């Protein structure tokens, strides 16, 4: 069998540390993985610089899109060096961040030609700080302004500045206030409006069974942190949410701001199905996900995972095997064969990456 080429996208879990405690976060949130580990007195880790150098060297012959992930990636003790090494190798970096450390690193980000920053803001100051932590709104805006000011002074288009708004029962009514009243959108190149990701307990149980039966893996550590009961979304007024989305996206169109919706169709029917985990009746349908062939995550410990966030499924470890041995190994081939035959795992409908890597089947609204 012919070996598969390098992936297009590589996510590096640089650090498990984070300086915020966003309520809905599957890592540091109220039911998040690292909160559970903290209760077990386990300290958050960071990826070693030696491993990062090995990874960068592996992909130096091709132009890879790197996403620096966490935790908060800018908390890595050698973040400046990591960015310089990636950019020197020809890599492209597109990274989510809570934005609170951008002011500190603004000069470095502009000087290195860092490609794109995706800053999380979840509402006006009072709402954002309720969801993400006191002071987080002001610090994120200061960071955005610092990067933008230095970028403009240099006459550069990078880093591109994007916002990610995660819609939850706490903030869904504040979209218009944030985007139409409180933000200066001049500095923003892109906006992502995404629903809170989640899976049901039944989906997690089926996934755990799949891991055991197909790969002899017994783990529910990561998937359990995304479990939500659909009743948690009962108080969301879907019609009001759709109205606000339509209003602000019209404004984005007028200003020429690119935007991404997750899920792609914000209609009453589609969101009602989403909130009830009624995936089969969503208007956004997909044939399968291309991530097993085009993308991967590498954890702080050097494990290679084919799915973002869901690190219970691991294909191998870079401290034990070479990248090629893992990427084209028997375990990865078996997983790809499974995905070809079954199209999805039970957890797939609750993953935002599906909206980015999925092969669209149809959309009833078009």
């Amino acid at each position: 069998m012919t070996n598969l080429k390098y992936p297009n996208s590589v996510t590096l879990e640089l650090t498990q540390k984070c300086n915020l405690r966003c309520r809905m976060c599957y890592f540091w949130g109220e039911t998040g993985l690292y909160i559970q580990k903290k209760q077990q007195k386990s300290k958050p880790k960071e990826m070693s610089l030696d491993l990062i150098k090995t990874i960068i060297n592996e992909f130096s012959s091709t132009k890879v899109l790197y996403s620096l992930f966490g935790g908060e990636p800018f908390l890595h003790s050698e973040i400046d060096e990591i960015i310089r090494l990636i950019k020197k190798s020809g890599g492209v970096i597109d990274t989510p961040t809570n934005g609170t450390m951008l002011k500190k690193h603004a000069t470095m980000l502009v000087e290195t030609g860092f490609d794109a920053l995706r800053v999380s803001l979840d509402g006006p100051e009072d709402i954002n700080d309720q969801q993400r932590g006191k002071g987080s709104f002001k610090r994120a805006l200061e960071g955005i302004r610092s990067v933008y000011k230095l970028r403009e002074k240099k006459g550069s288009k990078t880093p591109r500045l994007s916002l990610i708004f995660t819609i939850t029962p706490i903030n869904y009514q504040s979209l218009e206030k944030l985007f139409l009243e409180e933000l200066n959108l001049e500095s923003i190149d892109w906006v992502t409006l995404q629903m809170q990701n989640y899976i049901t307990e039944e989906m997690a149980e089926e996934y755990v069974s799949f891991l055991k039966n197909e790969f002899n893996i017994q783990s529910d550590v990561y998937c359990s942190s995304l479990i939500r009961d659909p009743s948690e979304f009962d108080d969301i007024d879907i019609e009001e949410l759709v109205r606000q989305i339509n209003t602000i996206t019209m404004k984005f169109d007028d200003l020429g701001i690119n935007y991404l919706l997750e899920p792609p169709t914000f209609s009453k029917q589609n969101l009602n199905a989403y909130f009830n985990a009624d995936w089969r009746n969503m208007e956004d349908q997909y044939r399968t996900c291309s991530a097993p062939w085009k993308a991967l995550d590498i954890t702080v410990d050097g494990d290679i995972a084919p799915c973002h966030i869901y690190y219970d499924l691991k294909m191998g470890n870079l401290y034990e095997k070479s990248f090629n041995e893992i990427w084209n190994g028997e375990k990865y081939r078996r997983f790809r064969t499974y995905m070809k035959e079954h199209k999805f795992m039970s957890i797939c409908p609750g993953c935002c990456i599906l909206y980015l890597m999925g092969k669209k089947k149809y959309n009833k609204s078009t």
Side-chain angles (χ1 to χ4, degrees), residues 102-307:
L102 290 183
K103 185 176 181 179
K104 174 183 177 181
H105 296 286
T107 300
M108 178 273 295
L109 290 167
V110 174
E111 288 180 349
T112 57
F114 194 99
D115 297 278
L117 295 161
R118 290 178 278 138
V119 184
S120 292
L121 276 182
D122 292 342
E125 184 173 2
D126 57 334
I127 300 296
N128 179 88
D129 287 8
Q130 180 185 351
Q131 181 154 297
R132 303 185 64 82
K134 188 175 181 180
S136 58
F137 184 84
K138 285 184 177 178
R139 292 173 67 189
L141 282 190
E142 286 175 358
I144 291 170
R145 292 190 192 107
S146 296
V147 172
Y148 180 71
K149 183 177 179 180
L150 289 171
R151 188 185 80 176
E152 293 299 294
K153 184 177 181 180
K154 186 182 178 183
S156 174
K157 293 184 179 181
T158 58
R160 293 185 301 278
L161 289 161
S162 302
L163 296 180
I164 302 177
F165 188 109
T166 300
I167 300 168
T168 71
I170 293 174
N171 69 1
Y172 79 94
Q173 297 184 79
S174 65
L175 285 153
E176 287 179 322
K177 186 176 180 182
L178 175 67
F179 289 105
L180 303 185
E181 299 177 22
E182 298 206 358
L183 286 182
N184 177 5
L185 295 174
E186 182 183 52
S187 61
I188 305 304
D189 302 298
W190 197 285
V191 175
T192 296
L193 304 168
Q194 63 179 26
M195 296 307 312
Q196 179 178 349
N197 300 140
Y198 77 101
I199 59 174
T200 64
E201 190 170 346
E202 292 75 17
M203 292 163 73
E205 290 173 354
E206 187 176 338
Y207 176 63
V208 170
S209 178
F210 156 77
L211 293 180
K212 182 178 180 181
N213 294 334
E214 297 290 332
F215 297 100
N216 197 31
I217 293 173
Q218 297 191 44
S219 175
D220 66 350
V221 175
Y222 288 91
C223 68
S224 63
S225 66
L226 281 98
I227 295 175
R228 295 286 185 275
D229 191 301
S231 64
E232 293 181 31
F233 306 108
D234 285 350
D235 291 337
I236 292 181
D237 182 338
I238 298 177
E239 289 187 353
E240 174 61 13
L241 173 56
V242 171
R243 187 194 67 77
Q244 291 207 23
I245 289 290
N246 288 337
T247 300
I248 63 172
T249 53
M250 286 178 62
K251 182 66 172 181
F252 295 158
D253 287 334
D254 290 342
L255 296 174
I257 296 174
N258 295 308
Y259 59 89
L260 176 68
L261 303 179
E262 297 177 1
T265 306
F266 267 67
S267 68
K268 183 178 179 180
Q269 175 185 328
N270 205 43
L271 294 185
N272 186 64
Y274 184 91
F275 291 137
N276 286 285
D278 186 12
W279 315 110
R280 292 184 180 181
N281 283 316
M282 286 188 66
E283 296 175 66
D284 301 306
Q285 295 288 327
Y286 294 83
R287 293 189 182 94
T288 188
C289 179
S290 62
W293 292 266
K294 295 183 177 181
L296 58 82
D297 281 46
I298 304 176
T299 73
V300 290
D301 294 316
D303 290 314
I304 289 183
C307 296

Side-chain angles (χ1 to χ4, degrees), residues 272-339:
N272 186 64
Y274 184 91
F275 291 137
N276 286 285
D278 186 12
W279 315 110
R280 292 184 180 181
N281 283 316
M282 286 188 66
E283 296 175 66
D284 301 306
Q285 295 288 327
Y286 294 83
R287 293 189 182 94
T288 188
C289 179
S290 62
W293 292 266
K294 295 183 177 181
L296 58 82
D297 281 46
I298 304 176
T299 73
V300 290
D301 294 316
D303 290 314
I304 289 183
C307 296
H308 184 53
I309 301 171
Y310 295 97
Y311 297 160
D312 296 298
L313 177 56
K314 299 167 183 174
M315 296 289 107
N317 188 279
L318 288 173
Y319 287 111
E320 300 169 1
K321 295 182 179 180
S322 70
F323 175 79
N324 187 61
E325 286 178 301
I326 299 171
W327 182 243
N328 287 294
E330 186 273 336
K331 194 173 184 180
Y332 233 129
R333 292 182 188 274
R334 188 151 39 99
F335 176 60
R336 294 185 185 114
T337 298
Y338 178 93
M339 291 297 285

